Amino acid sequence: MASSDRDLDVVVFGATGFVGKLLAAHLAKAAPEGTRIGLAGRSAEKLKQVQAGLPQRAQDWPLIVADAADPASLKELAQRTRVVATTVGPYARYGLPLVEACADAGTDYCDLTGEVAFVRQCIDRFHEVAARTGARIVSSCGFDSIPSDLGVLLVAEQAKADGAGELTDTVLHVVSMKGGVSGGTIDSARAQLEAMAEDAELKKLVADPYSLSPDRSAEPSPGDGVDSMLPSRDPELGRWVAPFVMASYNTRIVRRSNALTDWSYGKGFRYREVMGVGSSPLAPVLATGVSAGLIAGMGGMAFAPTRKLLDKVLPKPGDGPSEKVQQNGHFRIEVVARTTSGARYTSTVAAKGDPGYAATAVMQGESALALALDRDKLPARAGVLTPATAMGDALADRLRAQGFELSVRRD
């Protein structure tokens, strides 16, 4: 079925969930007039309640009953629309049937996963099918992993335009970040850690820095300090750094982007992510505290006895930060890269709003709109892709129009 035969441009699957509601609200506010949008979920009654809380322009959006456990409903959904934007996770538990339906139908797809194993399964099972049907299956279209993926893309593009060579050692550091945590994010992390505890091969896959590469043998040595859980003083950044909780996922997406573009960032491209804690006398203490807290949290969720205790105090699926927390949140990251000519570049990606919710709803919403409406501007690729390789500069332009900062400078 050709995309021109579809009666909808974008469908939000999981519209009754916490993030799904935020995504629907963003589309109701930001989608151009005439964009054909639908809301999908398991309950018609709950969909009606969500729609009632949206602006007037959304009151005639079609409501579609579809269930992740009902492949026939997913097939029908995928055949109706150009793009499905899904917020239904954990994706390893619920997401594969929808990816299959979209790949088979030639329907573009975007999600918010941060699960290495899920993306690897999508690559192995559906990349070739999607490439043949023309579907763009794009994972990680939120804070996981658009700032990382676009931040590196912009640096690589600018270095190439300047004739400064390919990227070599590249580090993303979180300059500042403020926001809340939702039960959905915790549930996804819990699901992957539980599976890793029972499956040695899965644990090995998740630990591999090139686990999402299309050609593992062609990748360079990752270098020292990749995915390190230890605090350190970073000589490139000139400050103390701690582990970044999302690094073990984001870095895989960025490395896949490099490989999917025939290593356009550089054959010697080595990439890592950290959280900056400054250079004050207290910085080593702060870095050590962040590292210890992250190790303790991951360890606690990996083992059944401590996991049960944490479950009593951590947010449940469907919970999320308050509207005030969302509005007062923000993030600012910088990607610092060296090139083969010795040049140094820094890109900045920053936005207002809680990174995982308010800002993520904008990022996924604009990803869905880019896939649906900007097809003449998108790279000529299909298959299981990344935000940078599927949408690239078209998405960067859309995010700038929504108030995000995406900039590059030569230092």
Side-chain angles (χ1 to χ4, degrees):
M1 180 183 294
S3 62
S4 58
D5 297 330
R6 314 298 172 94
D7 63 304
L8 293 170
D9 296 311
V10 176
V11 169
V12 177
F13 182 58
T16 61
F18 190 90
V19 182
K21 293 175 185 177
L22 297 177
L23 174 57
H26 174 73
L27 291 172
K29 175 184 176 182
E33 289 295 331
T35 307
R36 302 166 302 168
I37 299 172
L39 304 177
R42 290 182 298 173
S43 166
E45 188 59 37
K46 289 183 178 179
L47 288 170
K48 290 177 183 177
Q49 294 173 6
V50 171
Q51 187 173 47
L54 295 174
Q56 181 60 40
R57 64 178 301 200
Q59 297 309 305
D60 61 351
W61 288 357
L63 305 180
I64 304 165
V65 176
D67 191 327
D70 180 1
S73 70
L74 300 178
K75 179 178 180 180
E76 183 179 350
L77 168 63
Q79 290 177 341
R80 288 191 62 180
T81 184
R82 287 183 164 193
V83 180
V84 175
T86 175
T87 64
V88 179
Y91 291 91
R93 188 180 299 161
Y94 301 117
L96 289 170
L98 179 59
V99 175
E100 182 176 20
C102 289
D104 288 343
T107 299
D108 291 351
Y109 160 104
C110 61
D111 67 29
L112 299 173
T113 191
E115 303 164 50
V116 171
F118 168 74
V119 179
R120 186 67 252 178
Q121 284 186 288
C122 289
I123 294 166
D124 294 340
R125 293 177 57 180
F126 307 123
H127 178 76
E128 295 300 327
V129 175
R132 185 175 66 250
T133 64
R136 297 178 179 92
I137 306 299
V138 194
S139 287
S140 314
C141 292
F143 193 52
D144 268 336
S145 301
I146 282 177
S148 305
D149 213 24
L150 291 188
V152 175
L153 173 68
L154 295 176
V155 166
E157 289 180 335
Q158 190 61 56
K160 182 178 181 180
D162 292 347
E166 298 179 337
L167 304 187
T168 56
D169 293 313
T170 303
V171 55
L172 175 150
H173 73 111
V174 180
V175 178
S176 62
M177 183 174 68
K178 180 181 179 182
V181 178
S182 91
T185 299
I186 292 169
D187 199 31
S188 291
R190 180 192 297 111
Q192 181 162 281
L193 288 167
E194 286 178 356
M196 288 168 57
E198 299 172 359
D199 188 335
E201 287 301 312
L202 176 60
K203 186 175 182 179
K204 182 179 177 181
L205 171 73
V206 172
D208 182 356
Y210 295 106
S211 54
L212 302 183
S213 174
D215 187 354
R216 180 66 180 82
S217 64
E219 297 289 359
S221 169
D224 296 332
V226 169
D227 298 339
S228 172
M229 298 296 288
L230 300 177
S232 64
R233 190 181 189 284
D234 193 298
E236 183 64 49
L237 301 176
R239 67 195 68 184
W240 278 84
V241 298
F244 178 37
V245 65
M246 296 160 68
S248 62
Y249 181 76
N250 292 341
T251 52
R252 277 71 171 158
I253 292 292
V254 173
R255 293 173 193 138
R256 179 168 175 80
S257 294
N258 186 36
L260 286 175
T261 56
D262 196 24
W263 289 273
S264 63
Y265 301 167
K267 272 286 189 178
F269 174 69
R270 289 183 293 273
Y271 179 68
R272 56 196 174 88
E273 296 188 353
V274 297
M275 175 172 285
V277 296
S279 55
S280 73
L282 287 177
V285 177
L286 294 173
T288 301
V290 171
S291 179
L294 183 57
I295 292 171
M298 292 178 65
M301 283 202 292
F303 297 99
T306 49
R307 187 164 58 242
K308 290 180 180 179
L309 293 174
L310 289 172
D311 285 346
K312 295 179 179 180
V313 297
L314 292 173
K316 304 295 187 293
D319 294 340
S322 67
E323 185 174 350
K324 181 178 180 181
V325 169
Q326 291 180 52
Q327 291 177 346
N328 291 339
H330 70 272
F331 73 88
R332 185 176 189 85
I333 69 166
E334 291 183 352
V335 176
V336 178
R338 292 284 181 178
T339 74
T340 50
S341 70
R344 186 178 192 266
Y345 287 83
T346 300
S347 69
T348 299
V349 183
K352 295 180 180 179
D354 178 282
Y357 298 91
T360 278
V362 176
M363 286 185 269
Q364 189 179 21
E366 295 305 313
S367 295
L369 293 174
L371 291 169
L373 306 179
D374 297 341
R375 292 179 173 236
D376 59 333
K377 302 177 183 178
L378 302 182
R381 297 188 186 95
V384 179
L385 305 175
T386 62
T389 59
M391 299 168 287
D393 293 323
L395 178 58
D397 289 342
R398 280 191 165 273
L399 293 176
R400 290 187 186 104
Q402 293 298 318
F404 280 53
E405 178 186 350
L406 294 101
S407 61
V408 186
R409 70 176 187 269
R410 184 168 182 169
D411 297 327

Coordinates of all heavy atoms in Angstrom, one line a residue, residues 81-160:
T81 N -2.0 4.6 8.3 CA -1.3 5.8 8.5 C 0.1 5.8 7.9 O 0.7 4.7 7.7 CB -1.2 6.0 10.1 OG1 -0.5 7.3 10.3 CG2 -0.4 4.9 10.7
R82 N 0.6 6.9 7.7 CA 2.0 7.1 7.2 C 3.0 6.8 8.3 O 4.1 6.2 8.1 CB 2.3 8.5 6.7 CG 1.6 8.8 5.4 CD 2.0 10.2 5.0 NE 1.7 10.5 3.6 CZ 2.2 11.5 2.9 NH1 3.0 12.4 3.5 NH2 1.9 11.7 1.6
V83 N 2.7 7.2 9.6 CA 3.6 7.1 10.7 C 2.9 6.7 11.9 O 1.8 7.2 12.2 CB 4.3 8.5 11.0 CG1 5.3 8.4 12.1 CG2 5.0 9.0 9.7
V84 N 3.5 5.8 12.7 CA 3.0 5.4 14.0 C 4.1 5.9 15.0 O 5.2 5.6 14.9 CB 2.8 3.9 14.2 CG1 2.4 3.6 15.7 CG2 1.7 3.4 13.3
A85 N 3.6 6.7 16.0 CA 4.5 7.2 17.1 C 4.0 6.5 18.3 O 2.9 6.7 18.8 CB 4.4 8.7 17.3
T86 N 4.8 5.6 18.9 CA 4.4 4.8 20.0 C 5.1 5.1 21.3 O 6.3 5.3 21.3 CB 4.5 3.2 19.7 OG1 4.2 2.5 20.9 CG2 6.0 2.9 19.3
T87 N 4.3 5.1 22.4 CA 4.9 5.3 23.7 C 4.7 4.1 24.6 O 4.8 4.2 25.8 CB 4.2 6.5 24.4 OG1 2.8 6.3 24.6 CG2 4.4 7.8 23.5
V88 N 4.3 3.0 24.0 CA 3.9 1.8 24.8 C 5.2 0.9 25.1 O 5.7 0.3 24.2 CB 2.9 0.9 24.0 CG1 2.5 -0.3 24.8 CG2 1.6 1.8 23.7
G89 N 5.6 1.0 26.3 CA 6.8 0.2 26.7 C 6.4 -0.6 28.0 O 5.3 -0.4 28.5
P90 N 7.4 -1.4 28.5 CA 8.7 -1.7 28.0 C 8.6 -2.2 26.5 O 7.8 -3.1 26.3 CB 9.3 -2.6 28.9 CG 8.5 -2.5 30.2 CD 7.1 -2.1 29.8
Y91 N 9.4 -1.8 25.7 CA 9.3 -2.1 24.3 C 9.7 -3.6 24.0 O 9.1 -4.2 23.1 CB 10.1 -1.2 23.4 CG 9.6 0.2 23.4 CD1 10.0 1.1 24.3 CD2 8.6 0.6 22.5 CE1 9.4 2.4 24.4 CE2 8.1 1.8 22.5 CZ 8.5 2.8 23.4 OH 7.9 4.0 23.4
A92 N 10.6 -4.1 24.7 CA 11.0 -5.6 24.6 C 9.8 -6.4 24.9 O 9.6 -7.5 24.4 CB 12.2 -5.9 25.4
R93 N 8.9 -6.0 25.8 CA 7.7 -6.7 26.2 C 6.5 -6.5 25.3 O 5.8 -7.5 25.0 CB 7.3 -6.3 27.6 CG 6.3 -7.2 28.3 CD 6.0 -6.7 29.7 NE 7.2 -6.8 30.5 CZ 7.3 -6.1 31.7 NH1 6.4 -5.2 32.1 NH2 8.4 -6.2 32.4
Y94 N 6.4 -5.3 24.8 CA 5.2 -5.0 24.0 C 5.4 -4.5 22.6 O 4.4 -4.4 21.8 CB 4.4 -3.9 24.8 CG 4.0 -4.2 26.2 CD1 4.5 -3.5 27.2 CD2 3.1 -5.3 26.4 CE1 4.1 -3.8 28.5 CE2 2.7 -5.6 27.7 CZ 3.2 -4.8 28.8 OH 2.8 -5.1 30.1
G95 N 6.6 -4.2 22.2 CA 6.8 -3.4 21.0 C 7.0 -4.2 19.7 O 6.8 -3.6 18.6
L96 N 7.5 -5.4 19.7 CA 7.9 -6.1 18.5 C 6.8 -6.3 17.5 O 6.9 -6.2 16.3 CB 8.6 -7.4 18.8 CG 10.0 -7.3 19.4 CD1 10.5 -8.6 20.0 CD2 11.0 -6.7 18.4
P97 N 5.5 -6.7 18.0 CA 4.5 -6.9 17.0 C 4.1 -5.6 16.2 O 3.8 -5.7 15.1 CB 3.3 -7.4 17.9 CG 3.9 -8.0 19.1 CD 5.1 -7.2 19.3
L98 N 4.2 -4.5 16.9 CA 3.9 -3.2 16.2 C 5.0 -2.9 15.2 O 4.8 -2.5 14.0 CB 3.8 -2.1 17.2 CG 3.5 -0.7 16.5 CD1 2.2 -0.7 15.7 CD2 3.5 0.4 17.6
V99 N 6.3 -3.1 15.5 CA 7.4 -2.9 14.6 C 7.2 -3.9 13.4 O 7.3 -3.4 12.2 CB 8.7 -3.2 15.2 CG1 9.9 -3.1 14.2 CG2 9.0 -2.2 16.3
E100 N 6.8 -5.1 13.6 CA 6.6 -6.0 12.5 C 5.5 -5.5 11.6 O 5.6 -5.6 10.3 CB 6.2 -7.4 13.0 CG 6.0 -8.4 12.0 CD 5.7 -9.8 12.5 OE1 5.4 -9.9 13.7 OE2 5.9 -10.8 11.8
A101 N 4.4 -5.1 12.2 CA 3.2 -4.6 11.4 C 3.7 -3.4 10.5 O 3.3 -3.3 9.3 CB 2.1 -4.2 12.3
C102 N 4.4 -2.5 11.1 CA 4.9 -1.3 10.4 C 5.9 -1.6 9.3 O 5.8 -1.1 8.1 CB 5.5 -0.3 11.3 SG 4.3 0.6 12.4
A103 N 6.8 -2.5 9.6 CA 7.8 -3.0 8.6 C 7.1 -3.6 7.4 O 7.4 -3.3 6.2 CB 8.8 -3.9 9.2
D104 N 6.1 -4.5 7.7 CA 5.4 -5.2 6.6 C 4.6 -4.2 5.7 O 4.5 -4.4 4.5 CB 4.5 -6.2 7.2 CG 5.2 -7.5 7.7 OD1 6.4 -7.6 7.4 OD2 4.6 -8.2 8.5
A105 N 4.0 -3.2 6.4 CA 3.1 -2.3 5.7 C 3.8 -1.1 5.0 O 3.2 -0.3 4.3 CB 2.1 -1.7 6.7
G106 N 5.2 -1.0 5.2 CA 5.9 0.2 4.7 C 5.5 1.5 5.4 O 5.6 2.5 4.8
T107 N 5.2 1.3 6.7 CA 4.8 2.5 7.5 C 5.9 2.9 8.4 O 6.6 2.1 9.1 CB 3.6 2.1 8.4 OG1 2.5 1.7 7.6 CG2 3.2 3.2 9.3
D108 N 6.2 4.2 8.4 CA 7.3 4.7 9.3 C 6.8 4.6 10.8 O 5.6 4.7 11.1 CB 7.6 6.2 9.0 CG 8.3 6.3 7.6 OD1 8.7 5.3 7.0 OD2 8.4 7.5 7.1
Y109 N 7.8 4.5 11.6 CA 7.6 4.2 13.0 C 8.6 5.0 13.9 O 9.8 5.0 13.5 CB 7.7 2.7 13.2 CG 8.0 2.2 14.6 CD1 7.0 1.6 15.3 CD2 9.3 2.3 15.2 CE1 7.2 1.1 16.6 CE2 9.5 1.8 16.5 CZ 8.5 1.2 17.2 OH 8.7 0.7 18.4
C110 N 8.2 5.5 15.0 CA 9.1 6.1 16.0 C 8.7 5.8 17.4 O 7.5 5.8 17.7 CB 9.3 7.6 15.7 SG 7.8 8.6 15.9
D111 N 9.7 5.5 18.2 CA 9.4 5.2 19.6 C 10.3 5.9 20.6 O 11.1 6.8 20.2 CB 9.5 3.7 19.8 CG 10.9 3.1 19.7 OD1 11.9 3.8 20.0 OD2 11.0 1.9 19.3
L112 N 10.3 5.6 21.9 CA 11.1 6.2 22.9 C 11.9 5.2 23.6 O 12.3 5.5 24.8 CB 10.2 6.9 23.9 CG 9.3 8.0 23.3 CD1 8.3 8.5 24.4 CD2 10.1 9.2 22.8
T113 N 12.3 4.1 23.0 CA 13.0 3.0 23.7 C 14.4 3.5 24.1 O 15.0 4.3 23.5 CB 13.0 1.7 22.9 OG1 13.5 0.7 23.7 CG2 14.0 1.9 21.7
G114 N 14.8 2.9 25.2 CA 16.2 2.9 25.7 C 16.7 1.5 26.0 O 17.6 1.4 26.8
E115 N 16.2 0.5 25.2 CA 16.5 -0.9 25.5 C 17.3 -1.5 24.4 O 16.8 -1.6 23.2 CB 15.1 -1.6 25.6 CG 14.2 -1.1 26.7 CD 12.8 -1.6 26.6 OE1 12.6 -2.8 26.4 OE2 11.9 -0.8 26.6
V116 N 18.6 -1.7 24.7 CA 19.5 -2.3 23.6 C 18.9 -3.6 23.0 O 19.0 -3.7 21.8 CB 20.9 -2.5 24.3 CG1 21.8 -3.2 23.3 CG2 21.5 -1.2 24.7
A117 N 18.5 -4.5 23.9 CA 18.1 -5.8 23.4 C 16.9 -5.6 22.4 O 16.8 -6.4 21.4 CB 17.7 -6.7 24.5
F118 N 16.0 -4.7 22.7 CA 14.8 -4.5 21.8 C 15.3 -4.1 20.4 O 14.8 -4.6 19.4 CB 13.8 -3.5 22.4 CG 12.8 -3.0 21.5 CD1 11.7 -3.9 21.1 CD2 12.8 -1.8 20.9 CE1 10.7 -3.4 20.2 CE2 11.9 -1.3 20.1 CZ 10.8 -2.1 19.7
V119 N 16.1 -3.1 20.4 CA 16.6 -2.5 19.1 C 17.4 -3.6 18.3 O 17.2 -3.7 17.1 CB 17.4 -1.3 19.3 CG1 17.9 -0.7 18.0 CG2 16.6 -0.2 20.0
R120 N 18.2 -4.4 19.0 CA 18.9 -5.4 18.3 C 18.0 -6.4 17.7 O 18.2 -6.9 16.6 CB 19.8 -6.1 19.3 CG 20.8 -7.2 18.7 CD 21.8 -6.5 17.8 NE 21.6 -6.8 16.4 CZ 22.4 -6.3 15.5 NH1 23.4 -5.5 15.8 NH2 22.1 -6.5 14.2
Q121 N 16.9 -6.8 18.4 CA 15.9 -7.7 17.9 C 15.2 -7.1 16.6 O 15.0 -7.8 15.6 CB 14.8 -8.0 18.9 CG 15.3 -9.0 20.0 CD 14.1 -9.4 20.9 OE1 13.7 -8.7 21.7 NE2 13.7 -10.6 20.7
C122 N 14.9 -5.8 16.7 CA 14.3 -5.1 15.6 C 15.2 -5.2 14.3 O 14.8 -5.4 13.2 CB 14.0 -3.7 15.9 SG 12.6 -3.5 17.1
I123 N 16.5 -4.9 14.6 CA 17.5 -5.0 13.5 C 17.5 -6.4 12.9 O 17.4 -6.6 11.6 CB 18.9 -4.6 14.0 CG1 18.9 -3.1 14.4 CG2 19.9 -4.8 12.9 CD1 20.1 -2.8 15.3
D124 N 17.7 -7.4 13.7 CA 17.8 -8.8 13.2 C 16.6 -9.3 12.5 O 16.6 -10.0 11.5 CB 18.2 -9.7 14.4 CG 19.5 -9.4 15.0 OD1 20.4 -8.7 14.3 OD2 19.8 -9.8 16.1
R125 N 15.4 -8.9 13.0 CA 14.2 -9.5 12.5 C 13.5 -8.6 11.4 O 12.8 -9.2 10.5 CB 13.2 -9.7 13.6 CG 13.6 -10.7 14.6 CD 12.6 -10.8 15.8 NE 11.3 -11.1 15.3 CZ 10.2 -11.3 16.2 NH1 10.4 -11.2 17.5 NH2 9.0 -11.5 15.7
F126 N 13.7 -7.3 11.4 CA 12.9 -6.5 10.6 C 13.6 -5.5 9.7 O 13.0 -4.8 8.8 CB 11.9 -5.7 11.4 CG 11.0 -6.5 12.3 CD1 11.0 -6.3 13.7 CD2 10.3 -7.6 11.9 CE1 10.3 -7.1 14.6 CE2 9.6 -8.4 12.7 CZ 9.6 -8.1 14.1
H127 N 15.0 -5.4 9.8 CA 15.7 -4.4 9.0 C 15.5 -4.6 7.5 O 15.2 -3.7 6.7 CB 17.1 -4.3 9.4 CG 17.9 -3.4 8.6 ND1 17.9 -2.0 8.7 CD2 18.8 -3.6 7.5 CE1 18.7 -1.4 7.8 NE2 19.2 -2.3 7.1
E128 N 15.7 -5.9 7.1 CA 15.7 -6.2 5.7 C 14.2 -6.0 5.1 O 14.1 -5.5 4.0 CB 16.1 -7.6 5.4 CG 17.6 -7.8 5.8 CD 18.5 -6.9 4.9 OE1 18.2 -6.6 3.8 OE2 19.6 -6.5 5.5
V129 N 13.2 -6.4 5.9 CA 11.9 -6.2 5.5 C 11.5 -4.7 5.3 O 11.0 -4.3 4.3 CB 10.9 -6.9 6.5 CG1 9.4 -6.6 6.1 CG2 11.1 -8.4 6.6
A130 N 11.9 -3.9 6.3 CA 11.6 -2.5 6.3 C 12.4 -1.8 5.1 O 11.8 -0.9 4.4 CB 12.0 -1.8 7.6
A131 N 13.6 -2.2 4.9 CA 14.4 -1.7 3.8 C 13.7 -2.0 2.4 O 13.7 -1.1 1.5 CB 15.8 -2.2 3.8
R132 N 13.1 -3.1 2.3 CA 12.4 -3.5 1.1 C 11.1 -2.8 0.9 O 10.7 -2.4 -0.2 CB 12.1 -5.0 1.1 CG 11.5 -5.5 -0.2 CD 11.4 -7.1 -0.2 NE 10.4 -7.5 0.8 CZ 10.8 -8.2 1.9 NH1 12.0 -8.5 2.2 NH2 9.8 -8.6 2.7
T133 N 10.3 -2.6 2.0 CA 9.0 -1.9 1.9 C 9.1 -0.4 1.9 O 8.1 0.3 1.7 CB 8.1 -2.4 3.0 OG1 8.6 -2.0 4.3 CG2 7.9 -3.9 3.0
G134 N 10.3 0.1 2.3 CA 10.5 1.6 2.4 C 10.2 2.1 3.8 O 10.2 3.4 4.0
A135 N 9.9 1.3 4.8 CA 9.6 1.8 6.1 C 10.8 2.3 6.8 O 11.9 1.7 6.8 CB 8.9 0.7 6.9
R136 N 10.7 3.4 7.5 CA 11.7 3.9 8.4 C 11.3 3.5 9.8 O 10.4 4.1 10.4 CB 11.9 5.4 8.3 CG 12.3 5.9 6.9 CD 12.4 7.4 6.9 NE 12.9 7.9 5.6 CZ 12.1 8.3 4.6 NH1 10.7 8.1 4.7 NH2 12.5 8.7 3.5
I137 N 12.0 2.6 10.4 CA 11.8 2.2 11.8 C 12.8 2.9 12.7 O 14.0 2.6 12.6 CB 12.0 0.6 12.0 CG1 11.1 -0.1 11.0 CG2 11.7 0.2 13.4 CD1 9.6 0.2 11.1
V138 N 12.4 3.9 13.4 CA 13.3 4.8 14.1 C 13.1 4.7 15.6 O 12.1 5.2 16.1 CB 13.1 6.3 13.6 CG1 14.3 7.1 14.1 CG2 13.0 6.4 12.1
S139 N 14.0 4.1 16.3 CA 13.9 4.0 17.7 C 14.6 5.3 18.4 O 15.3 6.0 17.8 CB 14.6 2.8 18.2 OG 13.9 1.6 17.9
S140 N 14.2 5.5 19.6 CA 14.9 6.4 20.5 C 14.7 7.9 20.1 O 15.7 8.6 19.9 CB 16.4 6.1 20.6 OG 16.5 4.7 20.8
C141 N 13.5 8.3 19.9 CA 13.2 9.6 19.4 C 12.8 10.6 20.5 O 11.9 11.5 20.4 CB 12.1 9.6 18.4 SG 12.6 8.8 16.8
G142 N 13.4 10.4 21.7 CA 13.2 11.3 22.8 C 14.5 11.7 23.4 O 15.5 11.8 22.7
F143 N 14.6 12.0 24.7 CA 15.9 12.4 25.3 C 16.9 11.2 25.1 O 18.0 11.4 25.0 CB 15.6 12.7 26.8 CG 16.8 13.4 27.4 CD1 17.4 14.5 26.9 CD2 17.4 12.9 28.6 CE1 18.5 15.1 27.5 CE2 18.5 13.5 29.2 CZ 19.0 14.6 28.6
D144 N 16.4 10.0 25.2 CA 17.1 8.9 24.5 C 16.6 8.9 23.1 O 15.4 8.6 22.9 CB 16.7 7.5 25.2 CG 17.5 7.0 26.3 OD1 18.7 7.4 26.4 OD2 17.0 6.3 27.1
S145 N 17.3 9.2 22.0 CA 18.7 9.6 22.1 C 19.0 10.7 21.1 O 20.0 10.9 20.5 CB 19.6 8.4 21.6 OG 19.4 7.3 22.4
I146 N 17.9 11.6 20.9 CA 18.0 12.6 19.9 C 19.1 13.7 20.3 O 19.9 14.0 19.4 CB 16.7 13.3 19.7 CG1 15.8 12.4 18.8 CG2 16.8 14.7 19.1 CD1 14.4 12.9 18.6
P147 N 19.2 14.2 21.5 CA 20.3 15.1 21.7 C 21.7 14.6 21.4 O 22.6 15.2 20.8 CB 20.2 15.5 23.2 CG 18.7 15.2 23.5 CD 18.4 14.0 22.7
S148 N 21.9 13.3 21.8 CA 23.2 12.7 21.5 C 23.4 12.5 20.0 O 24.5 12.9 19.5 CB 23.3 11.3 22.2 OG 23.0 11.3 23.6
D149 N 22.4 12.0 19.4 CA 22.6 11.6 17.9 C 22.7 12.8 17.1 O 23.5 12.9 16.2 CB 21.3 10.8 17.5 CG 21.7 9.7 16.5 OD1 22.8 9.3 16.4 OD2 20.7 9.3 15.8
L150 N 21.9 13.9 17.3 CA 21.9 15.1 16.5 C 23.2 15.9 16.9 O 23.8 16.6 16.0 CB 20.7 15.9 16.6 CG 19.4 15.3 16.0 CD1 18.3 16.4 16.1 CD2 19.6 14.9 14.6
G151 N 23.5 15.9 18.2 CA 24.7 16.7 18.6 C 26.0 16.2 17.9 O 26.8 17.0 17.4
V152 N 26.1 14.9 17.7 CA 27.3 14.4 17.0 C 27.2 14.6 15.5 O 28.2 15.0 14.9 CB 27.5 12.9 17.3 CG1 28.7 12.3 16.5 CG2 27.8 12.7 18.8
L153 N 26.0 14.4 15.0 CA 25.8 14.7 13.6 C 26.2 16.1 13.2 O 26.9 16.3 12.2 CB 24.3 14.4 13.2 CG 23.9 14.8 11.7 CD1 24.6 13.8 10.7 CD2 22.4 14.8 11.6
L154 N 25.8 17.1 13.9 CA 26.0 18.5 13.6 C 27.5 18.7 13.7 O 28.1 19.5 12.8 CB 25.3 19.4 14.6 CG 23.8 19.4 14.5 CD1 23.2 20.2 15.6 CD2 23.3 19.8 13.1
V155 N 28.3 18.2 14.6 CA 29.7 18.3 14.7 C 30.4 17.7 13.4 O 31.2 18.4 12.8 CB 30.3 17.7 16.0 CG1 31.8 17.6 15.9 CG2 29.9 18.5 17.2
A156 N 30.0 16.5 13.1 CA 30.6 15.9 12.0 C 30.3 16.6 10.7 O 31.2 16.8 9.8 CB 30.0 14.4 11.8
E157 N 29.1 17.1 10.5 CA 28.8 17.9 9.3 C 29.6 19.2 9.2 O 30.1 19.5 8.1 CB 27.3 18.2 9.3 CG 26.4 17.0 9.0 CD 24.9 17.4 9.0 OE1 24.5 18.4 9.6 OE2 24.1 16.7 8.4
Q158 N 29.8 19.9 10.3 CA 30.5 21.1 10.3 C 32.0 20.9 10.0 O 32.6 21.6 9.3 CB 30.3 21.9 11.6 CG 30.9 23.3 11.6 CD 30.2 24.2 10.6 OE1 29.0 24.3 10.6 NE2 30.9 24.7 9.6
A159 N 32.6 19.8 10.6 CA 34.0 19.5 10.4 C 34.2 19.2 8.9 O 35.2 19.6 8.3 CB 34.4 18.4 11.3
K160 N 33.3 18.4 8.3 CA 33.4 18.1 6.9 C 33.3 19.3 6.1 O 34.1 19.5 5.1 CB 32.3 17.1 6.6 CG 32.4 16.6 5.1 CD 31.3 15.6 4.8 CE 31.4 15.1 3.4 NZ 30.3 14.1 3.1

